[in-house]
């Protein structure tokens, strides 16, 4: 399915430690868009995970919702552990709607061990992170003994 | 296509009452924010339905409604002059309400010339080309029918996504100029789209069901008994609730009553009244 809007999403690691990060987006009931799609390196503090190219539709007589998910596996530092928003990587559920004013933009979201913030041109949303054990899907995508990725 | 039933007419009238009681809520926002398209969406969507229904036997309500919307249109033109949005990538869509309501009311907006200048520039998307088409600046039927053929020729008849379904309904909306003209190449997919409408209604996805039924009506395609069943279900929920919920995942609260319902309500109104030609 082609979309009439697209944007590039990054997620900045503000967890205070090196972290594996995975995040996803779904427009309506279209296929879920996931980052990463393969193996990747842990993200250093202050560096960004991504890019994820996301698509959505806007226009008259057309409705749809954008939903998001983010999970982090903090490997070191004071808050080491696993954290995630509600939902799963395959079923993102936090709603934050993209608008036509986000089209063509590079948007940088951020994640801590407590909150995932989606900063869009059209407005911002946030959702809490909870300690999570269900990071298996993300962990499977991460190579063992990987080195932190520079900003 | 089946003749409109008394129940459908009664349901359409019920939805008209809901819109009439909330017409002020359709007034375009003129915010300082970046979401220009969202600001005019309720107003423009209602204007599209009014335009589509104006030549039908349901014409009294659209004529009356257009008269009530006209001052809001002129206010929009004064507060956000068309020349100030001429460089917006979707400027033609932002101005779509002007040619729609000019047509229905037979009036000429104070912004008519500025709108015409913006509409003179080709749009990058089919949505914008429809706006230019209604303004008399182009004819998007061929492009819309090409898009429709591309979508339907690759469909195996199986489950579809919402985005795909909207793409099909909108190609039909645009090819028929919101029901004002016939398809140059009538499609044989009426019964299949009718089945999608029935399934959407069974899943209580009222907006999707209504959009499919509107597409069938405007394209004069026979959706068969499934389409009638979808329309029956849509009429039943309209009569029961007085309006129609857009997204079953976003239930109505006192605070979001208008936002959660206006869209599906105006589309359902068109679906229930739109075949009365």
């Amino acid at each position: 399915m082609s979309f009439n809007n697209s944007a590039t999403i990054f997620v900045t690691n503000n967890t205070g430690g090196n972290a594996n990060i995975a995040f996803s987006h779904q427009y309506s009931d279209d296929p879920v868009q996931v980052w990463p799609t393969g193996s990747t390196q842990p993200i250093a503090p202050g560096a960004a995970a991504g890019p994820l190219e996301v698509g959505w539709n806007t226009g008259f007589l057309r409705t749809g919702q954008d939903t998001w998910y983010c999970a982090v596996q903090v490997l070191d530092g004071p808050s080491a552990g696993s954290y995630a928003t509600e939902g799963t990587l395959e079923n993102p559920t936090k709603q934050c709607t993209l608008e036509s004013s986000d089209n063509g933009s590079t948007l940088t979201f951020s994640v801590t061990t407590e909150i995932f913030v989606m900063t869009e041109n059209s407005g911002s949303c946030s959702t809490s992170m909870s300690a999570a054990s269900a990071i298996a899907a993300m962990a499977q995508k991460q190579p063992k003994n990987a080195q932190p990725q520079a900003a | 296509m089946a003749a409109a039933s008394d129940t459908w007419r009664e349901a359409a009238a019920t939805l008209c009452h809901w819109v009439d009681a909330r017409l002020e809520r359709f007034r375009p926002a003129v915010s300082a924010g970046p979401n220009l398209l969202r600001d005019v969406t309720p107003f423009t969507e209602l204007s599209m339905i009014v335009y589509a229904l104006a030549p039908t036997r349901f014409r009294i309500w659209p004529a009356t409604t257009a008269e009530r919307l006209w001052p809001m249109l002129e206010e929009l033109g004064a507060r956000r002059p068309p020349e100030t949005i001429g460089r917006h990538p979707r400027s033609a869509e932002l101005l779509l309400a002007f040619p729609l309501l000019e047509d229905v009311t037979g009036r000429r907006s104070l912004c008519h010339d500025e709108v015409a200048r913006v509409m003179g520039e080709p749009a990058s998307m089919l949505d914008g080309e429809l706006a230019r088409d209604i303004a008399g600046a182009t004819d998007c039927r061929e492009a819309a029918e090409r898009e429709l053929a591309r979508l339907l020729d690759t469909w195996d008849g199986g489950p579809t996504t919402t985005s795909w379904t909207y793409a099909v309904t909108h190609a039909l909306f645009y090819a028929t100029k919101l029901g004002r003209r016939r398809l140059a190449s009538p499609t044989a997919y009426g019964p299949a789209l009718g089945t999608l409408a029935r399934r959407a209604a069974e899943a209580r996805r009222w907006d999707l069901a209504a959009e499919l039924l509107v597409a069938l009506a405007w394209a004069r395609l026979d959706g068969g008994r499934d389409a009638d069943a979808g329309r029956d279900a849509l009429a039943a929920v309209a009569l029961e609730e007085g309006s129609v919920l857009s997204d079953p995942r976003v239930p109505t609260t006192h605070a979001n009553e208008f936002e959660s319902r206006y869209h599906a309500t105006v589309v359902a109104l068109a679906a229930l009244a739109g075949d009365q030609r």
Side-chain angles (χ1 to χ4, degrees):
Chain A
M1 181 64 212
S2 58
F3 298 102
N4 63 22
N5 292 265
S6 65
T8 303
I9 310 297
F10 288 91
V11 176
T12 300
N13 173 15
N14 288 334
T15 64
N18 294 295
N20 292 321
I21 296 178
F23 61 102
S24 60
H25 164 265
Q26 184 176 30
Y27 175 75
S28 191
D29 52 5
D30 285 292
V32 180
Q33 299 162 321
V34 175
W35 190 92
T37 55
S39 61
T40 186
Q41 305 290 323
I43 308 299
L52 175 64
E53 303 295 330
V54 301
W56 72 100
N57 290 319
T58 57
F60 302 130
L61 301 181
R62 202 190 299 259
T63 64
Q65 299 291 342
D66 298 275
T67 51
W68 302 87
Y69 173 82
C70 183
V72 295
Q73 186 178 33
V74 185
L75 302 173
D76 48 35
S79 302
S82 295
Y83 307 86
T85 62
E86 61 184 37
T88 66
L89 199 60
E90 296 77 19
N91 182 29
T93 57
K94 172 57 186 176
Q95 185 182 323
C96 189
T97 303
L98 291 157
E99 302 279 358
S100 57
S101 56
D102 299 304
N103 184 37
S105 298
T106 295
L107 305 174
T108 303
F109 297 175
S110 66
V111 66
T112 71
T113 58
E114 296 180 343
I115 191 167
F116 177 50
V117 180
M118 294 148 278
T119 307
E120 301 172 353
N121 298 334
S122 54
S124 293
C125 314
S126 63
T127 188
S128 60
M129 302 287 286
S130 300
S133 58
I135 304 292
M138 183 183 74
Q140 287 171 0
K141 295 176 183 295
Q142 309 295 334
K144 292 180 178 176
N145 304 317
Q147 297 300 306
Q149 197 168 33
Chain B
M1 185 184 308
S5 77
D6 289 345
T7 305
W8 300 348
R9 278 192 288 269
E10 184 185 352
T14 297
L15 299 180
C16 288
H17 288 310
W18 188 91
V19 171
D20 289 344
R22 291 160 183 78
L23 207 65
E24 186 59 30
R25 299 295 305 274
F26 287 87
R27 181 183 294 276
V30 186
S31 67
N35 302 315
L36 300 186
L37 201 62
R38 190 175 65 190
D39 286 351
V40 299
T41 293
F43 184 78
T44 305
E45 290 187 346
L46 179 57
S47 299
M48 292 169 84
I49 300 306
V50 162
Y51 173 89
L53 293 180
T56 72
R57 279 185 279 167
F58 208 73
R59 62 185 176 277
I60 295 174
W61 180 81
T64 306
T65 305
E67 288 297 329
R68 294 180 66 194
L69 293 176
W70 187 260
M72 299 184 195
L73 182 78
E74 293 288 38
E75 181 190 73
L76 174 65
R79 296 183 65 188
R80 183 175 287 154
E83 61 266 29
T84 65
I85 61 170
R87 291 181 189 170
H88 191 284
R90 300 177 75 168
S91 54
E93 290 168 77
L94 290 168
L95 299 173
L96 171 57
F98 285 87
L100 290 169
L101 293 179
E102 285 189 346
D103 178 277
V104 179
T105 62
R107 297 185 187 185
R108 184 182 168 100
S109 161
L110 295 171
C111 296
H112 178 88
D113 291 343
E114 289 82 0
V115 171
R117 267 192 285 277
V118 173
M119 296 292 190
E121 298 294 322
S124 59
M125 291 163 46
L126 203 47
D127 308 61
E129 287 297 281
L130 170 77
R132 299 182 62 239
D133 193 337
I134 289 173
T138 190
D139 183 334
C140 73
R141 179 164 63 176
E142 187 178 335
E145 292 203 12
R146 213 168 34 241
E147 172 68 0
L148 183 66
R150 185 186 71 78
L151 292 161
L152 293 178
D153 289 350
T154 56
W155 181 35
D156 62 4
T160 63
T161 65
T162 303
S163 292
W164 182 90
T165 309
Y166 277 135
V168 169
T169 58
H170 281 59
L172 286 165
F173 295 169
Y174 301 166
T176 64
K177 201 175 177 180
L178 308 184
R180 291 286 187 100
R181 68 183 165 213
R182 292 181 180 272
L183 291 172
S185 307
T187 170
Y189 283 87
L193 297 178
T195 299
L196 289 181
R198 178 182 56 78
R199 288 179 184 160
E202 286 171 352
R204 302 184 69 81
R205 300 192 64 183
W206 302 119
D207 172 56
L208 207 55
E211 298 249 359
L212 285 158
L213 294 169
V214 168
L216 288 167
W218 290 355
R220 297 167 170 81
L221 296 175
D222 187 353
R225 297 173 70 172
D226 278 349
D228 289 345
R231 219 176 249 112
D232 286 342
L234 193 61
V237 76
L239 289 169
E240 180 183 340
E241 300 183 18
S243 58
V244 181
L245 181 64
S246 293
D247 185 339
R249 295 170 303 176
V250 185
T252 300
T253 64
H254 178 71
N256 75 353
E257 191 254 3
F258 179 78
E259 286 75 13
S260 66
R261 287 180 174 266
Y262 83 83
H263 170 79
T265 296
V266 298
V267 180
L269 198 168
L272 293 165
D275 64 347
Q276 298 182 50
R277 292 175 194 282

